[in-house]
Amino acid sequence: MKLALIVATICSLFLGSCSKGPEVVVYTALDLAFSEPILKRFERETGISVRILSDTEATKTTGLVNKIIAMKDRQEADVFWNNEVVRTILLKRKGLLEKYLPEAAKDIPANYKDPEGYWTGFAARARVILINTDMVKEGSEPASIEDLAKPEWKGKVALANPLFGTTSTHAAALFATLGAERAKRLFLSLKENDVRIVAGNAMARNMVMNGEIAICLTDTDDANGAYLKQKPVRMIYPDQGNEQRGMLVIPNAVALIKGAPNPENGKRLIEFILSAQVEQELAKSPSAQLPVRKGIAPYSEIFSLDKIKVMAADYEKTADALDESTRFVQETFLR
Amino acid sequence: MNNRGTASGIVIGALLILLLPGAVMFAFSIVSPEGGISFKAYEHVLSDSRQIALFQRSVMIAGATTLLALAIGLPVGYAIARLPAPWAMTIAILCPIPLMIPSLVIALGWITLFGNAGTVTTVLQNMMNMTSPLFTVYGEAGTSIVMALCYFPCVALISAAAFRSVDARMVSAAELVASPARVFRSVILRLALGPIAIGAVLTFLLAFGDFGVPSVFGVNVYPIEIFTSFNAYHDFQAGIAQSLPPVLLAVVLMIFAVAIAHRSAGNFVGGDWRPIERWEKNRRSLSLFLFALLVTASSSLLPIALLVSSCGSLSTFQRAMETAAPQVIASFETALAACLTIVVVGATVALLLRYSSRRLRWTVFALLGFLLAIPASVTGMGILALHTRGWIPDAFYRSGTTTVIADVCRFAPFSILIIWQSLTAIGSDVEYPALLAGISRPRTALRILLPLSLTGVGAAAIVSFIFPLGELGASVLVNPAGGMTLPSRICSLLHFGEEGIVAALCLTICLLVLIPYTLGLLLFNRIMEFRIVGKD
């Protein structure tokens, strides 16, 4: 009798985990605070149950990428919603994505889409300089990444760990755009200027917000987080001069996973995520994502791509440079 | 168990199951793309001065953390064992709190106070009219101090159980001829040295593997190399190969600790055994109480106070519960299932080790060192590998059982070691009357040995609940979609969730542990009182 009860309990645990209707599984690297309401709305509107797996600040996006790689022979996920693009390209190169050309992406500029149709970009972030206005005199602000290596900023600049996240993407983009030698000189000059390497963009932002440090390199969503807390900070778009390279823009990227258990539902979800309405929602959210489409109102004027000189970064070349740039920053900063 | 071979077989079987995920990944690390055997991934392990320097730094920081944890954990453990019951209970309740809060959150809390623009730093600067901070919390020293405050409860809880098991008759006899300080050094500490050594090794391994706290304090450590291989290069073979040095170090340390445990064994629980007596309320006990209170309050109440202040109001707590209720329930269920499984596995293996050969025991302890040092990512990847190959059915994966499996693989060694250590204090003469009366070994073990090692089982249960509740490294990989746990939710909100919500969820973890833990302590004390009073 006892044994039967135990067996019945165990069986009910497993039966309870079986899905009863249509579902789609999405791995999302975008902060849950912004991605979850959108995914839940899809669930309500379509009746398709959405199972979400999000990443953590601790694993910096790559936990989901590792899981997709590890489960390549038995995928759980249908859709990968990345908050950057380079690791989506890595998955494509490993043959883990399925080609899909969404209808909803027709009005997204070509430079934010994979030419072969494996991923689509939208709702971007930009790499910016954030300063504490109490610690940096007006008129003396750094205007470029190279300015951060100037003597007056020695020991006063924080940078998120360049091995991971958007900082690693930025490092790879600099290697791809400037060339390896020039990029290495830039990073060595930052190291010689005692740049502080911290755990993540949010931590770098917090240090500037709280007056622990004067300047950091971070993303626009982190910068807006500081504005929302009404801290004495200002965001600067680096390298905006006529002869300068412009600022790196990193879009979200959504892709269909090869071997997805629910590919048709996955495609419906991708169409939903790539809709103008969702991009508008993300633009107006506290993360102030920069719309890549025309006609989407930004969070505010300072968060509009129209007002910014964007770095002409080729994301495929950035992905090519990722390995070399990562090894270099590892040797340089991880000591 | 009337057959040593049967006992050995079951022990080996249990160990093989626990080792399977790690073994699968290590096997994968020596498979070349062409399908043959290749050690290419191991060629670059500790091959350059940078990696060697990082490894040395990690060993030094973990060593310093362990020494500090011993310095504060042993007095706290002694306080729990010897202070008058109400005072001991207060310390016992506060003590494990640092283990319940993610170490990263604790580190950020200390930065809030002692960072360059921290509250305490600013006050001191203003008081002394200085333009720059008096001291810096960043660096290796700050890292070691904060990690010691995070992990000293391991030493405290294990040593408390060991001190409590010391036979009161031995202490009373020694106190007739020696001072209390000498009795503590020569009798009590010596008899508890085995568990203390094991607690120290566990603390060392926890500190070695933690790279969250060092990264907050700007310190680079060796585990970041492993993390980088997995998460920057997605080179799983390299990551697994780089895990080998810490694993070998853990095996050596474990053998060393067990050797100390064997040498110090001699406190025979049984017969007229009574636990060490509690002190009266006097100046001596008050001094120890105040010291223990200072340590436990600063390491537990301080982060709690910061969390409560971040949380702000009850409405934030309510909002956090509304959004995270499924994760709270899932985490509690998973931790409870893991705890029960781990304690059963731990008690079974520890009991069977008692009847196994000396050679097998040493092999098991070496393998436990291996298990303790395997990075969480490797365990998680191994379980995923078993799932994708069909060894773990889909129903297990989707129900979240794989999360429980990951917890058992990671934390069963703690339980096995703690319970085994408390069993070594029980003399073999305790079992003979029962065996002579024809009672089987399993029944003897259940009815006599386990109750006599209740303090060890209790310590194992506490650790086996707290650690799975806060586990993140493996669960981010093995959690099914839709089955997020509370630590995953906290960490996913750290970047852009409201700080208040993050704080409320951290406090939830504390409550999820504190309530059953406090009730368990009260119940445990009642049982111990009954056993002693019942004897009279």
Side-chain angles (χ1 to χ4, degrees):
Chain A
M1 176 64 184
K2 266 188 202 171
L3 184 62
L5 200 60
I6 292 168
V7 169
T9 308
I10 293 170
C11 286
S12 70
L13 276 172
F14 294 133
L15 283 172
S17 69
C18 292
S19 177
K20 293 179 179 62
E23 69 169 18
V24 66
V25 178
V26 56
Y27 287 179
T28 173
L30 181 64
D31 298 285
L32 213 56
F34 310 118
S35 55
E36 195 173 32
I38 292 167
L39 296 168
K40 289 297 173 195
R41 188 159 59 81
F42 172 82
E43 191 174 71
R44 283 195 306 274
E45 289 179 11
T46 62
I48 298 172
S49 170
V50 180
R51 286 171 51 218
I52 306 168
L53 190 66
S54 79
D55 218 320
T56 71
E57 178 69 356
T59 46
K60 316 260 184 286
T61 302
T62 53
L64 295 176
V65 170
N66 281 345
K67 190 158 180 173
I68 292 170
I69 295 170
M71 293 184 80
K72 65 179 177 3
D73 295 327
R74 198 171 175 175
Q75 286 293 358
E76 174 193 35
D78 302 301
V79 172
F80 179 39
W81 178 354
N82 197 357
N83 64 352
E84 58 91 30
V85 66
V86 166
R87 283 174 177 82
T88 303
I89 294 172
L90 283 181
L91 289 177
K92 173 189 130 180
R93 291 177 179 186
K94 287 182 183 291
L96 296 173
L97 301 183
E98 195 71 61
K99 200 182 282 196
Y100 177 59
L101 297 164
E103 282 295 308
K106 285 205 163 110
D107 58 341
I108 290 176
N111 55 317
Y112 295 115
K113 293 191 281 199
D114 178 41
E116 295 173 79
Y118 283 92
W119 56 266
T120 311
F122 66 109
R125 291 176 289 169
R127 295 288 295 165
V128 296
I129 295 171
L130 188 71
I131 62 168
N132 182 304
T133 50
D134 292 341
M135 298 170 83
V136 177
K137 286 197 186 78
E138 199 167 335
S140 68
E141 307 91 343
S144 71
I145 309 289
E146 280 82 352
D147 283 351
L148 301 179
K150 285 184 175 169
E152 61 260 40
W153 307 124
K154 191 174 179 75
K156 295 179 181 175
V157 180
L159 182 69
N161 193 325
L163 292 170
F164 309 108
T166 51
T167 313
S168 74
T169 306
H170 197 176
L174 287 169
F175 267 68
T177 312
L178 297 176
E181 286 315 307
R182 206 172 139 197
K184 285 179 185 177
R185 280 200 301 274
L186 172 58
F187 280 105
L188 285 171
S189 66
L190 288 174
K191 182 168 165 72
E192 278 160 28
N193 216 32
D194 292 343
V195 69
R196 292 259 303 267
I197 303 295
V198 298
N201 285 318
M203 189 167 170
R205 183 257 335 255
N206 290 346
M207 289 175 78
V208 169
M209 254 176 26
N210 299 330
E212 287 244 6
I213 207 148
I215 302 167
C216 77
L217 208 49
T218 189
D219 299 334
T220 38
D221 57 344
D222 294 295
N224 196 44
Y227 280 140
L228 288 171
K229 289 182 182 3
Q230 296 176 327
K231 295 289 183 177
V233 297
R234 188 155 62 85
M235 183 174 77
I236 297 170
Y237 289 127
D239 303 297
Q240 297 293 293
N242 286 336
E243 300 296 314
Q244 290 181 302
R245 61 180 170 269
M247 179 186 69
L248 177 65
V249 163
I250 304 173
N252 279 255
V254 68
L256 188 67
I257 294 178
K258 189 173 185 174
N262 310 286
E264 292 311 309
N265 291 341
K267 288 172 184 172
R268 281 184 76 177
L269 179 60
I270 289 174
E271 297 286 349
F272 183 86
I273 289 170
L274 288 173
S275 65
Q277 187 183 359
V278 165
E279 190 165 32
Q280 180 67 81
E281 233 173 279
L282 290 171
K284 286 296 183 188
S285 74
S287 69
Q289 309 267 321
L290 283 62
V292 302
R293 279 183 172 88
K294 298 287 179 209
I296 303 286
Y299 187 86
S300 68
E301 280 303 300
I302 60 168
F303 291 103
S304 168
L305 282 176
D306 293 338
K307 310 284 180 189
I308 302 166
K309 184 176 182 182
V310 175
M311 188 196 285
D314 182 325
Y315 297 120
E316 288 285 339
K317 286 187 178 153
T318 302
D320 290 336
L322 185 64
D323 212 59
E324 185 184 6
S325 66
T326 304
R327 288 194 195 282
F328 177 76
V329 298
Q330 184 182 24
E331 289 287 329
T332 305
F333 292 106
L334 198 66
R335 298 199 154 264
Chain B
M1 217 72 42
N2 55 14
N3 187 340
R4 182 179 264 194
T6 310
S8 303
I10 295 174
V11 167
I12 292 168
L15 256 294
L16 284 177
I17 291 171
L18 292 177
L19 283 166
L20 197 54
V24 160
M25 294 311 288
F26 273 96
F28 166 70
S29 73
I30 58 171
V31 173
S32 68
E34 297 78 33
I37 303 276
S38 164
F39 291 93
K40 194 168 188 296
Y42 291 82
E43 282 171 10
H44 300 292
V45 174
L46 293 182
S47 60
D48 64 31
S49 57
R50 188 185 63 83
Q51 283 197 0
I52 293 170
L54 286 174
F55 190 82
Q56 285 172 339
R57 185 184 299 146
S58 288
V59 169
M60 267 176 30
I61 291 174
T65 302
T66 305
L67 289 174
L68 285 168
L70 283 168
I72 54 179
L74 286 178
V76 171
Y78 198 56
I80 295 172
R82 297 220 69 181
L83 285 178
W87 294 358
M89 189 67 133
T90 308
I91 303 300
I93 290 171
L94 291 175
C95 177
I97 289 177
L99 293 176
M100 303 172 199
I101 304 170
S103 59
L104 186 66
V105 173
I106 294 179
L108 290 171
W110 285 103
I111 297 272
T112 307
L113 292 173
F114 294 100
N116 290 344
T119 315
V120 174
T121 311
T122 309
V123 163
L124 287 174
Q125 252 180 271
N126 290 339
M127 272 170 54
M128 297 189 181
N129 217 20
M130 294 170 71
T131 53
S132 56
L134 189 63
F135 57 85
T136 179
V137 73
Y138 295 99
E140 288 158 19
T143 305
S144 299
I145 292 169
V146 171
M147 285 212 289
L149 290 171
C150 292
Y151 296 124
F152 84 88
C154 272
V155 172
L157 291 171
I158 293 172
S159 63
F163 289 141
R164 202 82 194 110
S165 300
V166 171
D167 194 336
R169 295 169 300 166
M170 287 196 187
V171 177
S172 303
E175 279 174 348
L176 289 173
V177 295
S179 65
R182 189 143 182 216
V183 168
F184 174 76
R185 263 196 335 268
S186 307
V187 178
I188 300 170
L189 196 59
R190 187 172 266 184
L191 289 172
L193 202 56
I196 291 169
I198 287 173
V201 169
L202 295 178
T203 303
F204 181 94
L205 293 175
L206 284 170
F208 188 97
D210 188 336
F211 59 87
V213 173
S215 69
V216 166
F217 290 104
V219 176
N220 293 318
V221 289
Y222 185 79
I224 295 182
E225 289 287 292
I226 303 170
F227 186 78
T228 303
S229 290
F230 277 110
N231 293 302
Y233 302 118
H234 306 288
D235 186 348
F236 301 163
Q237 288 187 320
I240 295 161
Q242 283 163 334
S243 309
L244 193 61
V247 163
L248 293 175
L249 177 63
V251 168
V252 166
L253 287 174
M254 189 54 61
I255 290 172
F256 178 65
V258 170
I260 294 177
H262 272 306
R263 279 180 181 273
S264 69
N267 182 46
F268 295 115
V269 176
D272 292 324
W273 170 83
R274 281 180 298 120
I276 197 168
E277 278 158 9
R278 293 195 176 279
W279 290 338
E280 299 289 323
K281 284 183 186 175
N282 53 32
R283 192 178 289 179
R284 174 180 62 171
S285 56
L286 182 63
S287 305
L288 183 59
F289 175 64
L290 289 174
F291 175 80
L293 192 64
L294 178 66
V295 169
T296 50
S298 59
S299 61
S300 59
L301 293 183
L302 212 51
I304 295 263
L306 289 170
L307 289 173
V308 168
S309 125
S310 263
C311 189
S313 67
L314 218 52
S315 63
T316 309
F317 204 86
Q318 211 173 326
R319 256 187 318 125
M321 289 304 104
E322 279 163 14
T323 52
Q327 287 83 46
V328 172
I329 296 166
S331 284
F332 186 79
E333 285 176 348
T334 305
L336 193 59
C339 174
L340 292 171
T341 312
I342 290 167
V343 171
V344 167
V345 167
T348 307
V349 172
L351 281 165
L352 291 172
L353 275 179
R354 191 179 164 84
Y355 307 116
S356 303
S357 67
R358 197 181 169 86
R359 189 186 294 176
L360 178 68
R361 282 206 292 273
W362 283 106
T363 308
V364 166
F365 295 133
L367 291 174
L368 289 180
F370 177 88
L371 270 171
L372 283 166
I374 294 180
S377 309
V378 175
T379 303
M381 290 278 185
I383 292 171
L384 279 183
L386 291 170
H387 167 59
T388 54
R389 279 158 183 74
W391 287 38
I392 297 177
D394 219 40
F396 270 64
Y397 174 74
R398 287 186 62 141
S399 67
T401 306
T402 41
T403 313
V404 175
I405 293 171
D407 290 335
V408 173
C409 290
R410 293 202 66 210
F411 304 120
F414 286 85
S415 174
I416 293 170
L417 286 165
I418 294 170
I419 297 175
W420 172 77
Q421 183 52 50
S422 66
L423 285 171
T424 55
I426 303 173
S428 50
D429 57 319
V430 166
E431 300 171 74
Y432 287 155
L435 294 171
L436 281 174
I439 310 291
S440 68
R441 275 206 194 273
R443 218 167 146 171
T444 306
L446 277 173
R447 293 298 193 99
I448 297 174
L449 295 179
L450 269 185
L452 285 174
S453 60
L454 208 53
T455 49
V457 174
I462 294 164
V463 167
S464 304
F465 185 73
I466 293 175
F467 283 157
L469 194 62
E471 206 285 327
L472 185 64
S475 57
V476 291
L477 289 164
V478 302
N479 275 346
M484 188 186 258
T485 58
L486 197 48
S488 294
R489 189 159 189 107
I490 289 170
C491 285
S492 68
L493 290 175
L494 264 176
H495 179 225
F496 222 109
E498 285 181 48
E499 279 163 7
I501 303 279
V502 170
L505 294 178
C506 287
L507 285 170
T508 305
I509 291 186
C510 293
L511 286 172
L512 281 178
V513 178
L514 270 178
I515 293 170
Y517 170 65
T518 308
L519 292 172
L521 261 186
L522 288 168
L523 181 65
F524 178 78
N525 276 346
R526 283 264 183 220
I527 294 170
M528 292 302 285
E529 274 173 30
F530 173 74
R531 284 174 55 194
I532 296 158
V533 169
K535 279 179 188 297
D536 293 341

